[in-house]
Amino acid sequence: MNIHDIARLAGVSASTVSKVMNGKDRDISEETKKKVLAVIEKENYVPYFKFREKEGLKNHLIGLIVRRDHRERENIVLSAGKRAEELSYSLVVSYVDSEEEISRQVKDMARRQVSGLIIDSEKKTDCGRLEHATVYLSQTKEFDEKQQVTFYYRLSEAGRLAAERLMEEGHQKIACIVHQRDRSILDGYRMAVRNRNLPLQPVWSYEGESIEEIEKYGLRQCLGEDVTAVICGSWDIACCVWKLMERTRTVIPDGLSMIVVGDGRMPELLGDGITAVRLPAESMSRDAVEYLIDMIQGQKQVELMRKFPPILTERGSIVRPAQEKQGEKIVVVGSMNMDVTMEVSRVPVSGETQIADRLFVFPGGKGGNQAVGAGKLGGQVYMIGCLGNDMDGKQLYSSLTENHVHMDGVIFDTVLPSGKAYISVDSSGESTIVVYQGANGHLDASWINGCRYLFQNAKYCLLSMEIPDEIVEYTIRFCKRNNTEVILKPSATEKIKEEMLADVAYFVPNENELNLLIPGKKSLEEKAQMLREKGVKNVIVTMGARGCYLTNEEYSLHFSGAAFEAVDTTGGADSFISALAVCLSEGKHIIHAIGFAIYASGITVTRYGVQPALPDRKAVDVYEDEIYSKYSIIAELAEGRGKK
């Protein structure tokens, strides 16, 4: 708009408008003068700042200074701009990267003759002539008391609201992952958890400098633990969690409840929608604009602190946690191999060549298999072992982490490649295995000792003998000092020192391994009893499809097998041991644990490979009633009505 437009609207000549604006209006009537000034005010004609100040006219411009890293920056700008436009004002926006830049931007806004300022800052700024027409925005109550007008919400309150919503649904083990700039969310989360007297583990919370750091370290730290719900400090963190859950085939909310601080389009699109704590940035910005305009027009006082509460938006990503499954800590010390499985018509004998029908390559190794088996079933499991610094090693590492195994105790050897196992499986599902130790052979006592912190509060240690014998012996002695019960799989070897057996809580050989350890014509029961006499507390002999046999101080019992049709028995024993350990770690009776383990191993042998074949908890729980019914008589023995 120019001077000619003003003249046309006022119904006067351009020279008349010029005289009015330049104070040369002695020959112009008061009525005409008022008409011209009214048009200038209405149309917000801004080039003549000195004239406007002289006449007391207000420039319809508002300055907004907002931090570039403000998480709600777009919402603040859009909502403030829209409300200003509705009130016939225009918004001038400046972005800053630091508090130091704000003073420079305030001066720039003053030069542009804005009528008032909205500043995103917890610190008071010298605003000169605009001192009494300035509103501050804040994400915390801890702002400068000298700020006369402040509109604020509290990120800590959003964290508290998110935690309380999860706790109302019954969650007690809640993770919280945030950006460092939003660390006050953690304050509210911790306050809410403490107010309920619930456990608060340091590993359940994480604040990262970048989304890359959070994705690489934060998710592994927090979601590797036994949490049932997670608070995501922003929608980009929620996306990272969602991707991880997809990779691990964890269903939200059945496997993990989720809530995000901050709302928008993205939380609406993920799955069926993510429940969110909506921050009140939009309503706060609108109200700040309204109040500032009232201040400019002299209709409001200039001392005010107004708080805006966050609002919960439900979308169904929170459900009650499943019945508590995870028990005490399990440490696995053993081998990790890449398994090469060959399907043949029958296992070749000496001097014979067989043509394989099919070839499969899967992550394996008895230690790795047992760790993955426990992780899939919901166990709190930690792996200790050695991988080669090669592609196989990286693939093995990824397979374990994706199956909820903590890898703190795993090192990469720079000399030897990762271990390999070559497996022949015949048409009946029976198998033979040739193992190359590779990097597994470099696992030494110093590394076991270096991982002693992992044994703290560990209830069980799963130990197999695909690692050096001296490490097996050292680990057994280490577990004895640490009061950790050893579950040992002998792996078809007769090189077990008898003095070691006295420190083994659960010894789990199959029939072939038992016969190698104790040759002769004695019965299975007699050989198992001989192991008991050597000091083993519980001997469990696995018998494939026929079940297993248990002998200990209380029982000598046979367990029938589950009616599953085997296609590959390779992982059956590892599945049995991992399921047994998980059930025992949850405080279940040994008879219940054995029934659970039989069905877990039965499911495993119906699938090819080992780690991909190991079942998750839901797959085994499908048979919960059948397990109870099948072993109910044995369960009565556990209650003391028929021991021995």
Side-chain angles (χ1 to χ4, degrees):
M1 177 167 289
N2 57 40
I3 195 169
H4 296 285
D5 295 322
I6 298 295
R8 179 174 52 80
L9 292 171
V12 299
S13 67
S15 62
T16 299
V17 174
S18 178
K19 288 179 180 181
V20 171
M21 297 192 68
N22 289 286
K24 300 176 181 179
D25 51 4
R26 294 179 184 176
D27 59 340
I28 298 174
S29 68
E30 194 64 29
E31 182 180 352
T32 300
K33 181 180 176 181
K34 287 182 178 179
K35 186 190 298 185
V36 171
L37 292 176
V39 172
I40 291 172
E41 176 72 12
K42 181 180 179 182
E43 299 302 323
N44 191 28
Y45 186 48
V46 298
Y48 302 96
F49 296 124
K50 292 183 180 179
F51 168 75
R52 298 178 66 86
E53 290 178 356
K54 176 183 175 182
E55 295 299 322
L57 298 177
K58 298 297 183 182
N59 187 353
H60 283 213
L61 288 179
I62 295 174
L64 171 62
I65 301 172
V66 61
R67 286 174 294 181
R68 205 180 302 276
D69 66 348
H70 196 298
R71 54 176 297 143
E72 294 288 310
R73 181 187 64 196
E74 287 80 8
N75 287 334
I76 289 173
V77 172
L78 290 174
S79 57
K82 182 178 180 181
R83 188 57 182 144
E85 183 180 357
E86 291 169 352
L87 297 173
S88 301
Y89 276 72
S90 297
L91 193 70
V92 180
V93 181
S94 288
Y95 297 100
V96 296
D97 292 311
S98 65
E99 289 286 341
E100 291 72 23
E101 290 185 49
I102 293 178
S103 294
R104 295 197 297 271
Q105 291 301 325
V106 167
K107 292 177 182 177
D108 182 66
M109 290 287 187
R111 284 193 295 270
R112 299 170 76 172
Q113 295 295 308
V114 299
S115 298
L117 285 173
I118 299 174
I119 302 175
D120 168 30
S121 177
E122 283 81 45
K123 297 181 180 180
K124 184 181 181 303
T125 302
D126 181 7
C127 296
R129 68 175 180 84
L130 297 171
E131 192 69 35
H132 299 295
T134 300
V135 174
Y136 290 89
L137 304 180
S138 177
Q139 296 183 91
T140 174
K141 192 178 179 181
E142 308 304 321
F143 46 78
D144 195 329
E145 293 181 357
K146 296 177 183 178
Q147 295 178 356
Q148 293 178 307
V149 180
T150 303
F151 287 18
Y152 72 98
Y153 62 84
R154 303 181 70 178
L155 272 177
S156 60
E157 188 172 347
R160 177 189 59 78
L161 185 61
E164 288 178 348
R165 174 65 186 90
L166 292 169
M167 291 187 291
E168 286 171 6
E169 204 65 40
H171 293 276
Q172 297 187 6
K173 299 176 180 180
I174 302 168
C176 186
I177 307 171
V178 302
H179 288 283
Q180 282 188 351
R181 67 169 189 257
D182 300 329
R183 60 167 59 106
S184 55
I185 292 173
L186 288 174
D187 297 335
Y189 150 76
R190 289 164 180 154
M191 181 187 302
V193 173
R194 290 192 188 101
N195 288 344
R196 296 284 187 98
N197 295 315
L198 293 178
L200 186 63
Q201 299 294 337
V203 293
W204 291 349
S205 60
Y206 189 89
E207 56 181 89
E209 291 185 358
S210 65
I211 192 63
E212 292 77 18
E213 178 191 325
I214 289 170
E215 190 167 22
K216 187 174 182 180
Y217 301 108
L219 303 190
R220 184 186 303 172
Q221 172 188 306
C222 297
L223 301 183
E225 291 294 330
D226 54 339
V227 298
T228 60
V230 60
I231 299 169
C232 300
S234 61
W235 66 262
D236 53 348
I237 295 174
C239 288
C240 291
V241 172
W242 188 274
K243 287 193 298 183
L244 176 62
M245 294 302 100
E246 283 190 328
R247 289 199 302 270
T248 58
R249 296 179 176 85
T250 301
V251 178
I252 294 174
D254 295 341
L256 182 76
S257 288
M258 182 191 293
I259 187 169
V260 60
V261 176
D263 203 4
R265 187 63 177 157
M266 188 58 68
E268 294 178 2
L269 296 176
L270 286 176
D272 295 328
I274 303 299
T275 296
V277 178
R278 178 181 285 274
L279 298 173
E282 295 177 18
S283 58
M284 181 179 72
S285 301
R286 286 195 302 267
D287 285 12
V289 168
E290 292 176 7
Y291 198 89
L292 177 61
I293 291 173
D294 286 342
M295 291 170 66
I296 293 169
Q297 297 175 353
Q299 299 174 14
K300 289 289 185 181
Q301 299 296 320
V302 292
E303 290 189 21
L304 175 73
M305 283 183 282
R306 182 181 295 176
K307 178 183 175 183
F308 293 78
I311 301 169
L312 194 66
T313 302
E314 292 283 357
R315 294 197 181 93
S317 64
I318 300 174
V319 297
R320 296 195 66 81
Q323 183 181 3
E324 187 64 46
K325 300 291 186 183
Q326 194 167 57
E328 297 183 78
K329 186 191 292 186
I330 300 168
V331 175
V332 178
V333 180
S335 60
M336 293 169 284
N337 299 322
M338 191 60 73
D339 289 349
V340 181
T341 301
M342 295 166 284
E343 190 178 282
V344 294
S345 57
R346 59 187 176 85
V347 175
V349 296
S350 178
E352 183 181 10
T353 299
Q354 281 277 351
I355 302 298
D357 297 323
R358 287 192 290 180
L359 181 74
F360 305 94
V361 180
F362 296 117
K366 290 196 173 297
N369 294 342
Q370 291 169 12
V372 168
K376 281 189 170 184
L377 293 170
Q380 186 186 172
V381 58
Y382 294 76
M383 183 73 211
I384 297 176
C386 193
L387 292 169
N389 190 23
D390 50 22
M391 288 302 298
D392 284 345
K394 293 176 175 62
Q395 187 175 345
L396 288 164
Y397 188 95
S398 296
S399 178
L400 270 73
T401 56
E402 288 173 2
N403 286 290
H404 317 294
V405 178
H406 298 271
M407 300 295 282
D408 309 56
V410 175
I411 55 173
F412 286 90
D413 187 85
T414 57
V415 178
L416 292 175
S418 299
K420 279 269 187 22
Y422 299 90
I423 306 162
S424 298
V425 181
D426 66 17
S427 56
S428 65
E430 293 301 320
S431 61
T432 61
I433 306 174
V434 176
V435 175
Y436 166 67
Q437 276 194 328
N440 294 303
H442 275 190
L443 185 63
D444 58 23
S446 65
W447 183 244
I448 300 296
N449 193 52
C451 292
R452 59 184 179 275
Y453 69 98
L454 295 178
F455 286 89
Q456 292 177 4
N457 302 318
K459 179 65 175 177
Y460 297 101
C461 174
L462 304 187
L463 191 60
S464 59
M465 301 189 71
E466 289 181 347
I467 55 176
D469 293 343
E470 60 270 20
I471 303 306
V472 174
E473 296 175 24
Y474 184 86
T475 303
I476 290 174
R477 292 195 298 270
F478 189 93
C479 288
K480 181 180 180 181
R481 295 194 300 271
N482 198 62
N483 295 319
T484 299
E485 295 187 358
V486 173
I487 301 177
L488 178 63
K489 173 67 176 172
S491 301
T493 178
E494 45 192 336
K495 298 177 182 178
I496 298 179
K497 295 181 179 179
E498 290 190 5
E499 58 267 27
M500 290 169 51
L501 295 174
D503 297 323
V504 174
Y506 299 86
F507 190 65
V508 192
N510 60 29
E511 291 178 279
N512 292 334
E513 291 159 350
L514 179 65
N515 291 331
L516 283 171
L517 290 165
I518 305 177
K521 296 183 179 181
K522 293 183 181 295
S523 66
L524 178 149
E525 293 82 2
E526 289 173 326
K527 292 180 179 181
Q529 182 57 33
M530 291 175 66
L531 290 172
R532 283 270 302 119
E533 291 169 358
K534 296 179 187 295
V536 180
K537 298 177 180 62
N538 300 274
V539 178
I540 304 172
V541 183
T542 58
M543 300 181 293
R546 293 182 291 113
C548 68
Y549 172 74
L550 162 70
T551 180
N552 60 18
E553 187 176 6
E554 295 183 273
Y555 308 106
S556 293
L557 300 170
H558 282 273
F559 292 75
S560 60
F564 292 96
E565 185 175 348
V567 298
D568 182 359
T569 62
T570 310
D574 294 329
S575 180
F576 181 95
I577 289 174
S578 58
L580 177 75
V582 168
C583 218
L584 290 173
S585 76
E586 294 170 358
K588 304 291 176 54
H589 193 278
I590 188 171
I591 291 177
H592 179 100
I594 288 175
F596 182 84
I598 287 173
Y599 269 73
S601 61
I603 294 170
T604 300
V605 300
T606 64
R607 308 166 178 175
Y608 283 102
V610 182
Q611 291 183 19
L614 294 165
D616 60 20
R617 190 60 176 253
K618 290 181 181 178
V620 184
D621 283 348
V622 167
Y623 298 95
E624 187 173 2
D625 293 339
E626 187 175 327
I627 292 170
Y628 176 81
S629 175
K630 188 166 187 175
Y631 301 108
S632 59
I633 296 175
I634 298 177
E636 291 177 4
L637 293 173
E639 295 173 3
R641 293 198 290 269
K643 295 181 181 180
K644 289 290 184 185

